[in-house]
Amino acid sequence: MIDKTVASVADAVADIPDGATVMIGGFGRAGQPVELIDALIAQGATDLTIVNNNAGNGDVGLAALLAKRRVRKIICSFPRQSDSWVFDGLYRDGDIELELVPQGNLAERIRAAGAGIGAFFSPTGVGTQLAEGKEARDIDGRTFVLEYPIKADVALISALKGDRWGNLVFRETARNFGPIMATAATRTIAQVDQVVPLGSLDPETVVTPGIFVDRVVAVGERPWVKDGAFVGGVDLEGRPL
Amino acid sequence: MIDKTVASVADAVADIPDGATVMIGGFGRAGQPVELIDALIAQGATDLTIVNNNAGNGDVGLAALLAKRRVRKIICSFPRQSDSWVFDGLYRDGDIELELVPQGNLAERIRAAGAGIGAFFSPTGVGTQLAEGKEARDIDGRTFVLEYPIKADVALISALKGDRWGNLVFRETARNFGPIMATAATRTIAQVDQVVPLGSLDPETVVTPGIFVDRVVAVGERPWVKDGAFVGGVDLEGRPL
Amino acid sequence: MSTRISRDDLARRIAADIPEGAYVNLGIGAPTLVANFLPADLEIILHTENGLLGMGPAPEAGAVDPDLINAGKQAVTALPGAAYFHHADSFGMMRGGHLDVCVLGAFQVSETGDLANWSTGAPGAIPAVGGAMDLAIGAKDVYVMTDLLTKTGESKLVEACTYPLTGVGCVTRVYTDHAIFDVTPDGFAVREAFGENTVASLQELTGLRLAPAEGH
Amino acid sequence: MSTRISRDDLARRIAADIPEGAYVNLGIGAPTLVANFLPADLEIILHTENGLLGMGPAPEAGAVDPDLINAGKQAVTALPGAAYFHHADSFGMMRGGHLDVCVLGAFQVSETGDLANWSTGAPGAIPAVGGAMDLAIGAKDVYVMTDLLTKTGESKLVEACTYPLTGVGCVTRVYTDHAIFDVTPDGFAVREAFGENTVASLQELTGLRLAPAEGH
């Protein structure tokens, strides 16, 4: 029997080595694998390269990982936010390397890694600072810039439900980077609200087939969802009103 | 009010011009837009370039379009089949141009057209006849071949259900080329078993968002599906047993 | 004395130019105001690049859903007919040219339609680009919504951008508090001057040679 | 006298080498037989490139579903835990290296693992490639299932392919009716010789220098 479920987030991240490239899903609070990030902080791996849309908020999650100086480099599209003080400080002190990537190139480069594409000519960033030094080519009357895949050793993602084969479904805009990061990492670890029995996910509506997922760990339903239904009663950070 | 539904397949294909590049979905019988193909034959457009996985079977559908000498060129991965005599004859007589494309390159080139990619380095076909004359490049220790997008003027696809915004869901392996062809054509025409009211398709499970669809035409349920449930009682071609 | 319309009036003006059935992305900041003025009786489909077509207004109090946000990370809703998708599919929509309109803010727009809106290039500033470059090159029409002048009175419409570019030759129209400008092969053309503003007064403010748009 | 095992026995032998949990694509033709011999108590997940993971056996009579077919366009079923997806996603799985094993037929396999299985190169033949080239380069292990000899007695294992290539250096192992061969940096190594066959007899049949596989 295939069983990709693991008992705890600690078990799920136990073997992430120092120096690993780690993709972390999420856009804002939505789809952020909060419990897996906390487990990674507790686990202690360092010298990491992180791939995420942002560079951490406040003092928790990814920001806390940065604050412990576990991150050598971050690949993201939007590091600067009103509450990105941890990243801001490290960056200003030269203590973290930043690869800034337009969000669409970030998504497409991740997808390319998962789909076996060697490189692709992108329409985005042409003629800007972010394309400087990159190969450009005119195709069919338009200029494109060559972009390379972004692969990872590990992806940490968050989904709504998963089964023991690793099939996943997501909820609303929490889907964001999860499905593509799952394809681009050597090992994909998904936290889910609930592990459901094999066969209970409709094969028409599985978003991430289990072939892309190595470990599934249940973290329980979020406060705004009860028995699969939206119940509200929280703020945007998921804190009870 | 947005209403992409049209009354008949004849209306749906009425303005396809001579010389158009037309993508036709389907893999075998599954997902084949049978009624739209018949309407295209009746409509009379000629000098077409067709993009399909195959090159027609028997004497119906795409094969009938070929037999009427309406097709100048076909782009496909697998033209030769036990019952592809129409194509075989035209090809042997030099009366049709063939661009043979490995199936994965075909799918990825169609997807690239829809996603605005200028070209991409593919791992498939390297070192084979089908890569001759194409630009090759070593990336990260592996050789890739540069492939270009395949765009179309029109895509004819078949889906299970659609709404007036053009949102589509598919059934089983009939999904195949439909979702990617929808993104790659200037005008996408979808035949559906049923048009359903706006809001009745779950936004989590829409496969093709309406932004990719221009016209939706209902053709009625197939003999093996009644009220949305599989009832069987047919052969692989959908003919009653 | 030049006429300046309010930000809300400008948003209303932009909303009036968006036809029914259009697929529209409203950038973070002022452009999101446009949603407030889209006619309730017209179906205009809003895209948010974090994975939703058919975005609706902010939820009622108590119904905030942390899983349902827009690109500005604000709570939103989904309309009947909506669809969710992942980031590569979402940016494929943008980059593949499927959006009809996007509305973006700007630091500068050049006569050739170059857009600068992601970085002032100030030394030491932390760069952040998000989806701005993808939006700039992706939509069929790229509308800019901005004040005509900076706080220190300099024109945001310029001969050539001095700030780092977001996209080259991508802007089709600029909606400012003073006037609406089309980007034409001959530079900016005044499509509509608000109130007492004239082509002449706008030329003085911008320092650019301007022409009335054809047919206006 | 050389030993030849039946096609079913060969399929059984291949099935025995596929571990639980593997994601497997069985090519059109003889390789589809392997499915008949996968142990019922092990979960092995079959992929068909026309958009299904978790493919099950053929349906019972009367339950044929024209919407549910495999790459060979035969009726199949979907197991609990299955998932459907479109062609670009399906070939992304293959080309992205996510499949553990694929089993393909062959006209020829070279000592360096080149595969020829899509065209005999005969003049006037109508070319057709399907997904063969994507499978050849995509799976972690590419197994070939074939007779060792052609009907006219020529070896399908060759120093260099004379038929048009499907993929370069992609085959990892060849299962034939005479023996199993690994593709190694030193050429073909005999992993297992069936019945009375020996390295020496196989060398005679193939005309190639062969070695026993390490550890065998």
Side-chain angles (χ1 to χ4, degrees):
Chain A
M1 198 176 93
I2 300 169
D3 189 359
K4 298 183 179 177
T5 63
V6 294
S8 70
V9 290
D11 291 350
V13 304
D15 56 2
I16 298 177
D18 291 351
T21 295
V22 181
M23 292 181 172
I24 300 180
F27 183 93
R29 175 68 183 74
Q32 202 183 119
V34 177
E35 287 81 356
L36 284 173
I37 298 169
D38 287 346
L40 178 60
I41 293 170
Q43 187 256 25
T46 192
D47 195 30
L48 302 172
T49 295
I50 297 292
V51 182
N52 182 259
N53 189 59
N54 304 105
N57 302 82
D59 294 303
V60 298
L62 179 52
L65 187 71
L66 266 57
K68 288 185 184 292
R69 295 180 177 262
R70 304 271 182 78
V71 181
R72 186 181 66 75
K73 177 181 178 182
I74 192 156
I75 302 174
C76 72
S77 87
F78 210 82
R80 186 192 63 231
Q81 298 188 276
S82 58
D83 58 352
S84 59
W85 49 77
V86 173
F87 171 81
D88 298 2
L90 290 168
Y91 182 77
R92 290 219 162 88
D93 293 346
D95 288 341
I96 193 165
E97 187 184 339
L98 169 67
E99 181 178 347
L100 187 74
V101 182
Q103 201 169 145
N105 282 352
L106 184 65
E108 189 70 18
R109 290 174 63 189
I110 293 169
R111 190 250 172 213
I117 303 299
F120 61 91
F121 284 101
S122 169
T124 296
V126 174
T128 77
Q129 281 182 359
L130 299 189
E132 277 173 19
K134 297 188 174 184
E135 179 178 341
R137 186 179 296 200
D138 289 346
I139 300 171
D140 213 5
R142 191 172 180 189
T143 307
F144 295 84
V145 172
L146 191 64
E147 295 285 349
Y148 291 89
I150 302 175
K151 300 179 169 102
D153 299 299
V154 178
L156 305 180
I157 66 172
S158 173
L160 179 66
K161 297 178 194 176
D163 63 27
R164 63 179 174 81
W165 280 13
N167 292 306
L168 303 177
V169 296
F170 298 82
R171 185 164 183 273
E172 299 169 343
T173 58
R175 186 181 305 196
N176 57 65
F177 284 94
I180 50 173
M181 288 182 170
T183 71
T186 306
R187 177 174 301 138
T188 293
I189 305 170
Q191 65 168 65
V192 297
D193 289 11
Q194 287 183 287
V195 171
V196 297
L198 193 74
S200 56
L201 298 176
D202 181 352
E204 300 285 5
T205 68
V206 167
V207 172
T208 292
I211 192 170
F212 298 122
V213 178
D214 300 279
R215 295 175 191 166
V216 176
V217 56
V219 297
E221 284 194 309
R222 283 131 220 293
W224 58 96
V225 178
K226 291 274 180 271
D227 300 328
F230 176 67
V231 293
V234 299
D235 68 13
L236 254 187
E237 296 303 310
R239 291 175 297 238
L241 293 176
Chain B
M1 197 176 90
I2 299 168
D3 188 0
K4 297 183 180 177
T5 63
V6 294
S8 70
V9 289
D11 290 350
V13 305
D15 56 2
I16 298 177
D18 290 351
T21 295
V22 181
M23 290 181 175
I24 300 181
F27 182 93
R29 174 71 184 71
Q32 202 182 119
V34 177
E35 287 81 357
L36 285 173
I37 298 170
D38 287 346
L40 178 60
I41 293 170
Q43 188 256 25
T46 192
D47 195 30
L48 302 172
T49 295
I50 297 292
V51 183
N52 183 258
N53 188 60
N54 303 105
N57 302 82
D59 293 302
V60 298
L62 179 52
L65 188 71
L66 266 58
K68 288 184 184 293
R69 297 182 176 260
R70 304 272 181 76
V71 181
R72 186 180 66 74
K73 177 182 177 181
I74 189 154
I75 302 174
C76 72
S77 86
F78 209 84
R80 186 192 65 231
Q81 298 189 277
S82 58
D83 60 351
S84 58
W85 52 76
V86 173
F87 171 80
D88 299 2
L90 290 167
Y91 182 76
R92 290 220 164 88
D93 294 346
D95 287 341
I96 192 165
E97 187 184 340
L98 169 67
E99 181 178 346
L100 187 73
V101 182
Q103 200 170 145
N105 281 352
L106 184 66
E108 188 70 18
R109 290 173 64 189
I110 293 169
R111 189 247 172 215
I117 302 300
F120 61 90
F121 283 102
S122 169
T124 296
V126 174
T128 76
Q129 282 182 359
L130 299 188
E132 275 172 20
K134 296 189 174 184
E135 178 178 341
R137 187 179 296 201
D138 289 345
I139 299 170
D140 213 2
R142 193 174 180 186
T143 308
F144 296 83
V145 171
L146 192 63
E147 295 285 350
Y148 291 88
I150 302 175
K151 300 180 169 106
D153 300 300
V154 178
L156 305 180
I157 65 172
S158 171
L160 179 66
K161 298 179 192 174
D163 64 27
R164 63 178 173 81
W165 279 14
N167 293 305
L168 303 178
V169 295
F170 297 82
R171 186 166 182 271
E172 300 169 342
T173 58
R175 187 182 304 196
N176 58 67
F177 284 94
I180 51 173
M181 287 182 169
T183 70
T186 305
R187 177 173 303 138
T188 292
I189 305 171
Q191 64 169 65
V192 298
D193 288 10
Q194 287 182 287
V195 171
V196 297
L198 194 73
S200 56
L201 298 176
D202 180 352
E204 300 284 6
T205 68
V206 167
V207 171
T208 292
I211 191 170
F212 298 122
V213 178
D214 299 279
R215 295 176 190 166
V216 177
V217 57
V219 295
E221 284 194 309
R222 283 130 221 292
W224 58 95
V225 178
K226 291 272 178 274
D227 300 329
F230 175 67
V231 293
V234 297
D235 68 12
L236 255 186
E237 297 303 311
R239 293 176 294 240
L241 292 178
Chain C
M1 187 58 198
S2 64
T3 302
R4 295 182 56 195
I5 68 171
S6 72
R7 196 157 281 194
D8 271 358
D9 284 345
L10 185 56
R12 186 178 290 112
R13 187 63 191 72
I14 296 171
D17 281 353
I18 297 177
E20 175 149 56
Y23 293 90
V24 179
N25 185 300
L26 302 174
I28 296 174
T32 56
L33 289 177
V34 173
N36 300 340
F37 300 100
L38 294 172
D41 59 335
L42 294 188
E43 291 185 334
I44 289 164
I45 300 179
L46 298 182
H47 172 262
T48 180
E49 58 261 40
N50 54 317
L52 169 62
L53 263 180
M55 181 171 65
E60 291 174 20
V64 165
D65 185 340
D67 291 331
L68 184 43
I69 60 176
N70 65 13
K73 293 167 187 167
Q74 301 165 308
V76 295
T77 51
L79 300 177
Y84 297 109
F85 31 81
H86 62 57
H87 248 80
D89 282 350
S90 185
F91 280 78
M93 278 177 207
M94 295 154 68
R95 297 150 62 105
H98 302 282
L99 293 177
D100 296 299
V101 176
C102 77
V103 185
L104 296 171
F107 297 145
Q108 291 177 325
V109 181
S110 82
E111 288 185 325
T112 56
D114 294 353
L115 172 67
N117 77 348
W118 73 282
S119 165
T120 58
I126 294 174
V129 66
M133 289 185 179
D134 303 286
L135 277 169
I137 59 88
K140 290 177 193 129
D141 275 307
V142 175
Y143 294 167
V144 162
M145 175 183 183
T146 183
D147 290 339
L148 179 62
L149 306 177
T150 67
K151 281 171 191 165
T152 53
E154 284 157 60
S155 174
K156 291 185 165 198
L157 301 193
V158 294
E159 234 180 271
C161 295
T162 55
Y163 288 142
L165 293 187
T166 306
V168 175
C170 56
V171 175
T172 47
R173 191 179 292 167
V174 186
Y175 291 84
T176 76
D177 51 352
H178 287 70
I180 305 170
F181 302 85
D182 279 337
V183 178
T184 78
D186 301 321
F188 291 111
V190 178
R191 184 180 180 84
E192 183 178 336
F194 300 139
E196 300 185 357
N197 301 323
T198 63
V199 170
S201 74
L202 293 165
Q203 284 194 155
E204 196 166 329
L205 285 173
T206 60
L208 298 172
R209 205 163 50 87
L210 302 170
E214 276 186 45
H216 286 267
Chain D
M1 187 61 199
S2 65
T3 302
R4 294 181 58 194
I5 68 172
S6 73
R7 199 160 276 196
D8 271 358
D9 284 345
L10 186 57
R12 187 178 289 114
R13 187 62 192 74
I14 296 170
D17 281 354
I18 297 176
E20 174 149 56
Y23 292 91
V24 178
N25 186 298
L26 301 174
I28 296 173
T32 56
L33 289 178
V34 174
N36 300 341
F37 300 100
L38 294 172
D41 59 333
L42 295 186
E43 290 185 334
I44 290 165
I45 300 179
L46 297 183
H47 171 262
T48 182
E49 58 261 41
N50 54 316
L52 169 61
L53 260 180
M55 179 173 64
E60 292 173 22
V64 165
D65 184 341
D67 292 332
L68 183 44
I69 60 174
N70 65 14
K73 294 168 187 168
Q74 301 165 306
V76 295
T77 51
L79 300 177
Y84 297 108
F85 30 82
H86 62 57
H87 248 81
D89 281 351
S90 185
F91 278 79
M93 276 177 207
M94 295 155 68
R95 297 150 61 104
H98 302 283
L99 292 178
D100 296 299
V101 176
C102 77
V103 184
L104 295 172
F107 297 145
Q108 292 177 323
V109 181
S110 82
E111 289 185 326
T112 55
D114 293 353
L115 172 67
N117 79 346
W118 73 283
S119 167
T120 59
I126 294 175
V129 65
M133 290 187 179
D134 303 285
L135 277 169
I137 59 87
K140 289 178 193 126
D141 275 306
V142 174
Y143 294 166
V144 163
M145 176 182 181
T146 183
D147 290 338
L148 179 62
L149 305 177
T150 66
K151 282 171 191 165
T152 54
E154 283 158 60
S155 175
K156 291 186 164 196
L157 302 194
V158 294
E159 236 180 271
C161 296
T162 54
Y163 288 144
L165 294 186
T166 306
V168 175
C170 57
V171 175
T172 49
R173 191 178 292 168
V174 186
Y175 290 84
T176 75
D177 51 353
H178 287 71
I180 305 170
F181 302 85
D182 279 337
V183 178
T184 77
D186 302 321
F188 290 112
V190 179
R191 186 182 178 81
E192 187 178 333
F194 300 139
E196 298 181 1
N197 301 323
T198 62
V199 170
S201 74
L202 295 164
Q203 284 194 156
E204 198 167 325
L205 286 172
T206 60
L208 298 173
R209 207 164 49 85
L210 303 170
E214 276 186 43
H216 286 268

